[in-house]
Amino acid sequence: MKDSLGKQHIDLEAVVGAIQQFTIETPSWGYGDSGTRFKVFHWPGAASTLREKLADAAQVNSVTGVCPSVAIHIPWDQEDDWQAVKDYADRLGLHIGAVNPNLFQDDLYRLGSLCHYDKQVRQRAIEHVLECIHIAQEVGSTVISLWLADGTNYPGQDDLRRRRHRLLDSLQVIYAALPAGMRLLIEYKFFEPAFYSTDLPDWGTSLLMAQKLGSQAEVLVDTGHHPQGTNIAQIVAQLLDEGRLGGFHFNDRRYADDDLIAGSQNPFDLFCIFNEIAGASVEGNANAGRIAYMIDQSHNIEPKIEAMIQSVINIQTAYAKALLVDHTALRAAQEAGDVLGAYRVLQAAYETDVRPLLAEVHVRQGRNPEPIAAFRASGYTERIERERVANATSSGYPGA
Ligand code: PSV
Ligand code: MN
């Protein structure tokens, strides 16, 4: 028998349960003004303090029901009283998620941070990450997500192996300071801002570092950080198999780190990523159950809160479709060498309209089935446009 969605071998109640459990973290920096290398546009009502960013994130959580945590970036979100921040977030029904050290915005880091040739600069960078670990403890977060802008622009500018040794030494000091239960997620990016070499350019380098450090270190996959044509789903499969997939920074791209709404350009790729996770989960892969799903997007021309809600919907859609993959049929086709039969199993799930399923989840949780419509009707945008004092920039960072 097929159910109303036309699926065989699928327990729809289990799918609804999984969708309800699936949470997505939004980034504080996605609510403030940002721009490109050419221009930072001020968005009317854009958040300029951590409290305003949290208030905006609470709106996303209220209409989607799946975004209870917010990643912070230090020093963009620096505060004196972290207990007060924690309490404020708590009152909004939120908690602080990943703490992101910023090792790219100080003049000191022109030639690198954890890999810099000067021990004093490396020490300052290490101390900043240690401060972030301390902040994480104060706000009750268990994730440090580390991205480095370190690299070189010219052949010969620095010794590549020496830079690697410095990186490992620095990471070892940081790792030793992690309290039990806290994870260090190591993000990679193949280029930018450095162009000749990047010290953490790919998942393999991040994985090697994580393996050298220990089990609390894992890899963070930012979907915008790969060369054109990279099969991210395969990277995900390998990391799941190694038990080192720490989390994601979701966003979409056409050319580089474009920061476009997740699933807006290559929705099938996003589906394939979730298909790997769903497949591993069915097989009992423990890593699949402890992945940090985070958005890393800074919107320039779109209304920020609505763009975040749209991103959440797109990610949920890809996830829901992956849950509909008929693994029994897929395995049978694979083991019969039925190339197109196997492909069609994926295609059938991908082409299923999951909007009724997502609406059902919202209704069961007592929410408006249409998150965007709910947000538009709330009057929140108009209210913050009126109330917030125009502020040129929140983070001062022109292109995240
Ligand atoms: C770098 O491009 C990145 O993806 C890192 O995760 C940063 O923390 C974030 O964007 C914001 O700049
Ligand atoms: Mn990122």
Side-chain angles (χ1 to χ4, degrees):
M1 265 292 278
K2 291 187 177 184
D3 57 47
S4 58
L5 284 165
K7 299 278 134 203
Q8 285 173 320
H9 305 128
I10 301 289
D11 176 353
L12 273 187
E13 270 312 306
V15 169
V16 168
I19 293 171
Q20 283 175 332
Q21 295 296 313
F22 177 69
T23 57
I24 303 164
E25 183 163 303
T26 70
S28 69
W29 55 99
Y31 299 106
D33 276 336
S34 65
T36 65
R37 279 192 290 155
F38 305 100
K39 164 82 180 153
V40 173
F41 293 104
H42 173 58
W43 192 268
S48 57
T49 63
L50 179 55
R51 276 173 178 68
E52 289 178 352
K53 293 170 189 175
L54 290 172
D56 292 357
Q59 294 297 312
V60 176
N61 190 39
S62 132
V63 295
T64 63
V66 294
C67 301
S69 66
V70 181
I72 57 172
H73 222 296
I74 307 296
W76 296 342
D77 297 319
Q78 189 63 274
E79 293 272 333
D80 295 333
D81 184 347
W82 286 107
Q83 185 57 46
V85 171
K86 188 169 185 266
D87 294 344
Y88 179 74
D90 196 48
R91 286 199 294 280
L92 293 170
L94 299 174
H95 59 270
I96 304 297
V99 179
N100 290 247
N102 185 319
L103 296 175
F104 50 89
Q105 231 184 353
D106 198 305
D107 282 342
L108 200 65
Y109 301 138
R110 189 169 60 89
L111 297 178
S113 62
L114 298 181
C115 308
H116 200 286
Y117 65 82
D118 184 339
K119 193 171 188 326
Q120 285 184 353
V121 177
R122 296 203 296 281
Q123 191 52 37
R124 284 275 292 274
I126 289 170
E127 277 161 19
H128 174 60
V129 184
L130 299 185
E131 182 201 347
C132 289
I133 292 175
H134 184 65
I135 291 171
Q137 285 178 292
E138 287 201 64
V139 295
S141 164
T142 55
V143 174
I144 299 289
S145 66
L146 190 71
W147 174 70
L148 301 181
D150 289 43
T152 68
N153 270 359
Y154 295 95
Q157 180 187 324
D158 199 356
D159 183 283
L160 298 183
R161 277 185 304 123
R162 265 187 218 126
R163 288 186 74 88
R164 187 170 185 276
H165 299 160
R166 292 178 210 136
L167 174 59
L168 187 57
D169 288 349
S170 300
L171 288 177
Q172 274 164 342
V173 178
I174 290 163
Y175 187 84
L178 286 180
M182 192 176 288
R183 293 187 288 157
L184 177 69
L185 307 191
I186 306 174
E187 184 173 353
Y188 58 90
K189 183 173 187 173
F190 82 114
F191 88 119
E192 196 190 42
F195 295 109
Y196 174 67
S197 73
T198 296
D199 291 291
L200 283 168
D202 50 40
W203 69 275
T205 309
S206 288
L207 177 62
L208 281 174
M209 290 293 155
Q211 285 173 336
K212 282 178 190 292
L213 293 174
S215 60
Q216 284 169 259
E218 296 180 324
V219 179
L220 175 59
V221 178
D222 184 312
T223 48
H225 288 188
H226 306 85
Q228 291 282 26
T230 301
N231 183 345
I232 302 174
Q234 189 179 15
I235 295 172
V236 167
Q238 308 224 44
L239 291 173
L240 282 168
D241 222 37
E242 290 294 324
R244 294 287 181 151
L245 179 57
F248 288 95
H249 271 179
F250 288 119
N251 50 70
D252 214 342
R253 50 75 66 100
R254 296 199 75 82
Y255 301 106
D257 191 16
D258 302 348
D259 262 359
L260 301 175
I261 289 174
S264 65
Q265 311 292 314
N266 298 305
F268 190 69
D269 287 353
L270 190 57
F271 163 79
C272 289
I273 289 172
F274 279 114
N275 178 48
E276 290 305 326
I277 297 169
S281 189
V282 165
E283 288 173 14
N285 178 301
N287 190 170
R290 57 173 161 80
I291 299 168
Y293 298 102
M294 304 177 279
I295 291 173
D296 180 3
Q297 293 169 198
S298 293
H299 306 107
N300 311 320
I301 60 165
E302 317 90 317
K304 291 168 195 301
I305 302 172
E306 191 172 321
M308 205 59 83
I309 298 167
Q310 186 67 58
S311 306
V312 171
I313 294 170
N314 290 0
I315 295 167
Q316 260 191 325
T317 299
Y319 177 65
K321 289 182 179 197
L323 292 175
L324 296 179
V325 170
D326 185 335
H327 291 278
T328 312
L330 182 63
R331 185 80 176 262
Q334 288 170 344
E335 295 186 354
D338 184 357
V339 177
L340 293 183
Y343 163 70
R344 274 187 217 106
V345 172
L346 292 195
Q347 193 190 31
Y350 180 69
E351 288 184 352
T352 305
D353 182 359
V354 294
R355 286 174 296 185
L357 196 60
L358 295 180
E360 165 76 15
V361 171
H362 288 304
V363 170
R364 283 196 198 185
Q365 293 175 335
R367 274 173 241 286
N368 185 321
E370 298 284 347
I372 297 278
F375 176 67
R376 286 196 164 190
S378 72
Y380 185 79
T381 302
E382 295 74 15
R383 181 155 71 76
I384 57 174
E385 278 181 25
R386 270 196 319 272
E387 288 178 2
R388 289 181 183 165
V389 183
N391 193 331
T393 57
S394 61
S395 65
Y397 180 49

